[in-house]
Amino acid sequence: MGTVCVGGVYPAGCEKKRDTAAHSLLIGSGRGVFIEITHRCSPTFKDIRNTVGNVPMEWYQDYPHIGYNLDGKKIFKPIRNKDELDEFLDKMENPDYWRTVHDKMTASDIRLTDEQVDLVHRLQKGQFGDVNFNEYEPSVDFFTNEVMIHPVTNRPQDKRSFIPSLIEKEKVSKLVHAIKMGWIKPRKPKETTPQYYDLWAKEDPNAILGRHKMHVPAPKMRLPGHEESYNPPPEYLLTEEERLVWEQQDAEDRKLPFLPQKHSCLRAVPAFSRFIHERFERCLDLYLCPRQRKMRVNVNPEDLIPKLPKPKDLQPFPTTMSLVYRGHTSLVRCISASPTGQWLVSGSDDFTVRFWEVNTGRCMKTLEVGGAVKSVAWNPNPAVCLVAVCFEHTVLLLNPSLGDRLVVSSTDQLITAYEPPEEDKEQAVTWALSEGLEHNKGHRLTLTHPKAVKQVVWHGKGDYLSSVMPDNSSNLQVLIHQVSKRRTQNPFRKNKGLVQCVSFHPLRPYFFVATQRYVRVYNLIKQELTKKLMTNCKWISSMAIHPGGDNLICGSYDCRLAWFDLDLSTKPYKMLRHHKKALRGVAYHRNYPLFASGADDGSVIVCHGMVYNDLLQNPLIVPVKVLKGHQITHDLGVLDVTFHPTQPWVFSSGADTTIRLFT
């Protein structure tokens, strides 16, 4: 960067006598050198003058002015905005484009004069800025080659040059004192004797690093025994039978590589026929067999077990069997608790549905239906007293008339208040209102399906319920019914496999459909598939959704329980293999961090499953209790499990015709 005052070259109108404002232009040369041309202008040039001083002109980017004149008034920017297209056209059409320079201080384009262009060219070539400067001036000879008689100075020597210096004496005395005190040590003479040192002296003998440490010495050969003697004891000599067996054996299987022989004296011993062969094999063993020390990691086995909290710190959870509900005569397939937790409903293969009081174990009501009950579900809405029961081709909606009479009567009013639409649409299911004797028994609505129904499940609001009819050949496997409008719809047009079970999301409009190996999550509002979960199981048997809605568990007939974190992955977060036989039912607790699974081994396993609000923290899953009590009947154990809605209690139904309450 060179700052050059253009001597004698000024833009038109600049006066040399009255310099008041200085301006400099930065011109780029072709070789990356920047040359600043400074000129001073008189106050008559108001468009050029700018008194802001040496500040970055970027500060004025957002303002309409670019600085202030001598009177303190704003200097406004010229009204122009050259974009790249204008710049390009200017470059092509303007013949003076190459000698035009943009001055940031005044935001104007300045055309360089011939003298200024000439100056730039000279500076680029490395010449002097002033044309008239002579760089080859004749040199002045300061020193002549003639030897003069008299010296330039001829002063006599000082007196102090003959007297010893006191300052030097003081310095020397200080150094002598420092040497005496040992602060300054004299240099040691260099030793000429060669230095030898041990290369491995500082190595740790116990460290198993480095190639020389990994080397294992060759195993020594076994010392000769009695059988190798020239005169062995008679028990070492082989009989004829042993000799024949020895000859028939492979070389690897023989106990001895030679036959023991007896000689009368040492002179009679012949040369060993296999000597060279044996030496050669020994050499092969030494250099072909890899001998290396294995790096063994000493791990404490207890360190491999994950650090889980103790079960007693995770209470409350069910530990003891408190009540047994007896009354069914065949296996109890399904159970469901009322939203208040006061009543329990169970369905059995003895064609009956029974209602029980939870705290006493008393059977309050028994209703006979026309087939083995596959599924029961109590409406989760506490303002509605309805129970859905499915058997064969039918789904029954019952009003058990238990509990609050106001709720019972309002439920009946809700069902009778239905007004049929003007035009009946054809539906996959026929709805029938129960009357007379059936109404007195508690029947309210009958939904007749085209195929056998396996499962029925309510939505959390209590107006919708879904039924499952497993059939691999058709797309009519899942139906969603609306009770208040007595309307049925088939949400799926395509068959994606044999549906095992379905469930509604507790909070959001999602619908979970479990086929044999996958769980598909559908958005009911957008009517699209949201997720497809890979369970890594052979055959899903049951499914439950966490009340928070972000986690899900699947039980399968191949003894596995898969926990899914829906925000994390479509693959299981954890696979639990605690049961020995097929899982039949899984359930989450509504309020406590508990989930349970029942299986054909007759046990119910309760686990602590804590889900944290912090999305970065993974769920904590700890098995806390194995609950036993059910007898295994016809290779079937626990068929269904469900939690009490408010207490940390779990109900289980089994093939031994009983229902058990663990508290």
Side-chain angles (χ1 to χ4, degrees), residues 30 44 57 64 82 103 136 245 262 270 309 340 365 423 429 479 507 517:
T44 52
M57 296 315 290
K82 265 194 184 178
D103 185 7
Y136 303 113
V245 170
K262 194 177 179 76
T340 57
K365 216 172 197 180
E423 45 183 273
V429 168
L479 294 175
L507 305 170
R517 303 190 69 164

Side-chain angles (χ1 to χ4, degrees), residues 297-489:
V297 183
N298 294 322
V299 178
N300 187 3
E302 291 178 1
D303 294 346
L304 299 174
I305 300 167
K307 296 280 183 284
L308 294 176
K310 291 177 183 172
K312 68 178 181 184
D313 300 336
L314 304 174
Q315 286 174 340
F317 54 82
T319 54
T320 49
M321 185 166 63
S322 298
L323 283 172
V324 181
Y325 304 86
R326 299 184 192 276
H328 284 292
T329 55
S330 183
L331 48 92
V332 186
R333 280 199 186 273
C334 45
I335 48 175
S336 181
S338 69
T340 57
Q342 192 179 356
W343 317 103
L344 182 75
V345 62
S346 62
S348 167
D349 277 13
D350 59 5
F351 296 11
T352 63
V353 174
R354 287 178 182 259
F355 293 90
W356 313 82
E357 189 175 15
V358 168
N359 291 345
T360 59
R362 188 157 66 107
C363 182
M364 306 297 292
K365 216 172 197 180
T366 306
L367 294 177
E368 291 199 4
V369 294
V373 180
K374 300 291 183 196
S375 176
V376 293
W378 205 300
N379 193 316
N381 188 350
V384 179
C385 184
L386 274 181
V387 176
V389 176
C390 72
F391 58 92
E392 293 181 351
H393 290 57
T394 309
V395 172
L396 262 183
L397 296 185
L398 306 173
N399 186 345
S401 305
L402 295 171
D404 193 343
R405 288 182 185 177
L406 286 172
V407 174
V408 171
S409 58
S410 67
T411 304
D412 285 348
Q413 282 175 5
L414 181 79
I415 287 171
T416 52
Y418 165 73
E419 291 181 4
E422 291 176 2
E423 45 183 273
D424 273 350
K425 287 184 180 177
E426 194 177 325
Q427 297 191 118
V429 168
T430 52
W431 293 70
L433 188 68
S434 303
E435 292 169 348
L437 190 66
E438 284 187 340
H439 188 275
N440 294 341
K441 282 184 184 177
H443 295 200
R444 294 294 180 264
L445 286 169
T446 308
L447 287 77
T448 310
H449 289 64
K451 285 176 285 196
V453 185
K454 179 190 171 188
Q455 188 209 8
V456 62
V457 61
W458 286 96
H459 183 264
K461 296 277 174 67
D463 190 24
Y464 290 90
L465 78 154
S466 177
S467 55
V468 178
M469 301 172 289
D471 178 13
N472 217 350
S473 59
S474 86
N475 62 349
L476 193 70
Q477 293 194 75
V478 180
L479 294 175
I480 295 178
H481 317 281
Q482 189 178 5
V483 177
S484 58
K485 296 187 178 176
R486 294 189 197 171
R487 201 170 59 182
T488 298
Q489 50 191 351

